[in-house]
Amino acid sequence: GQNIDQPTEMTATEGAIVQINCTYQTSGFNGLFWYQQHAGEAPTFLSYNVLDGLEEKGRFSSFLSRSKGYSYLLLKELQMKDSASYLCAVIDSNYQLIWGAGTKLIIKP
Amino acid sequence: NAGVTQTPKFRILKIGQSMTLQCAQDMNHNYMYWYRQDPGMGLKLIYYSVGAGITDKGEVPNGYNVSRSTTEDFPLRLELAAPSQTSVYFCASRDRENSPLHFGNGTRLTVT
């Protein structure tokens, strides 16, 4: 079966750096998304990786290793507004999106 | 440019009632999706469509129905509502198979 694993919850301190990991086993791979979802709101797109390596976008970076079935989202200079759930999703060989359950990130002052 | 618009935002149904959740997008996207999200859980795909006149089942289609008569609209029909259908429903669209999804703001449905 297809599976995506993310930690359920993480806690970090304002101003610090946090890395949220995502491992996947899917039938094929056509890309990986990271989404942010604040409580009670819709998911919003953060990043897309299809090739190995690091994609940087301001305070957020996303890394992919296709051979290891692994990605991470790196958040720097954490702000209170970064408290949210972070969803990892993989596009499989049929171009269907396989979603992880999400990682709830709690930022403490 | 409104993006993806869902109505209503909230609804309370009694067991056995029916309703239609509306979804419209103005981005001319071919691909549209309906997801449900239960508390603390990921997104579960209910139905999807790759273009007008074409729909297909996702992983949790039972108790739901869809239609796609136009590119813009993708309504989700609940027949004989059950408490297990209490959830938040998100509609989403994208223009290509590997493009990011654009989500509507969601419909919070309670069945009692």
Side-chain angles (χ1 to χ4, degrees):
Chain A
Q2 309 203 87
N3 192 52
I4 294 185
D5 287 315
Q6 305 178 234
T8 303
E9 188 174 296
M10 300 181 69
T11 302
T13 304
E14 189 177 15
I17 299 173
V18 71
Q19 177 176 311
I20 302 174
N21 295 327
C22 169
T23 58
Y24 61 90
Q25 299 93 37
T26 57
S27 55
F29 178 85
N30 280 301
L32 183 145
F33 294 114
W34 283 97
Y35 277 80
Q36 180 189 60
Q37 186 177 25
H38 285 103
E41 298 183 8
T44 55
F45 169 70
L46 285 178
S47 67
Y48 172 65
N49 295 72
V50 66
L51 298 176
D52 289 351
L54 189 68
E55 294 281 341
E56 297 186 79
K57 196 183 288 187
R59 292 189 300 115
F60 293 7
S61 303
S62 56
F63 171 83
L64 175 67
S65 168
R66 288 172 297 171
S67 63
K68 295 182 179 178
Y70 169 69
S71 173
Y72 67 72
L73 181 69
L74 192 71
L75 292 73
K76 302 176 185 176
E77 300 168 16
L78 285 169
Q79 303 175 8
M80 298 303 293
K81 68 178 182 179
D82 297 330
S83 291
S85 288
Y86 291 85
L87 310 177
C88 173
V90 170
I91 308 171
D92 72 8
S93 57
N94 294 319
Y95 288 91
Q96 296 296 326
L97 270 173
I98 312 302
W99 291 87
T103 299
K104 183 178 181 180
L105 178 63
I106 300 168
I107 310 296
K108 296 187 174 180
Chain B
N1 197 345
V4 179
T5 302
Q6 287 185 239
T7 57
K9 291 184 180 179
F10 304 92
R11 184 72 186 267
I12 299 174
L13 281 181
K14 294 188 186 302
I15 295 172
Q17 287 185 321
S18 300
M19 76 165 293
T20 299
L21 282 66
Q22 301 292 345
C23 175
Q25 52 92 8
D26 62 0
M27 298 172 283
N28 203 33
H29 287 173
N30 283 321
Y31 300 87
M32 296 189 74
Y33 304 82
W34 274 106
Y35 289 95
R36 60 176 288 173
Q37 186 177 37
D38 299 323
M41 305 290 284
L43 295 162
K44 302 287 187 186
L45 182 64
I46 305 170
Y47 270 96
Y48 67 99
S49 169
V50 300
I54 306 169
T55 62
D56 213 342
K57 296 178 180 179
E59 58 182 309
V60 290
N62 292 343
Y64 306 94
N65 243 312
V66 293
S67 60
R68 184 94 183 272
S69 55
T70 66
T71 299
E72 294 77 21
D73 299 300
F74 190 41
L76 177 71
R77 178 82 178 162
L78 277 73
E79 303 283 0
L80 299 174
S84 61
Q85 292 178 305
T86 293
S87 190
V88 179
Y89 292 83
F90 288 106
C91 178
S93 72
R94 59 180 174 174
D95 60 350
R96 295 187 305 275
E97 288 178 310
N98 59 350
S99 298
L101 288 176
H102 298 256
F103 284 87
N105 287 331
T107 294
R108 284 146 187 83
L109 176 68
T110 302
V111 182
T112 61

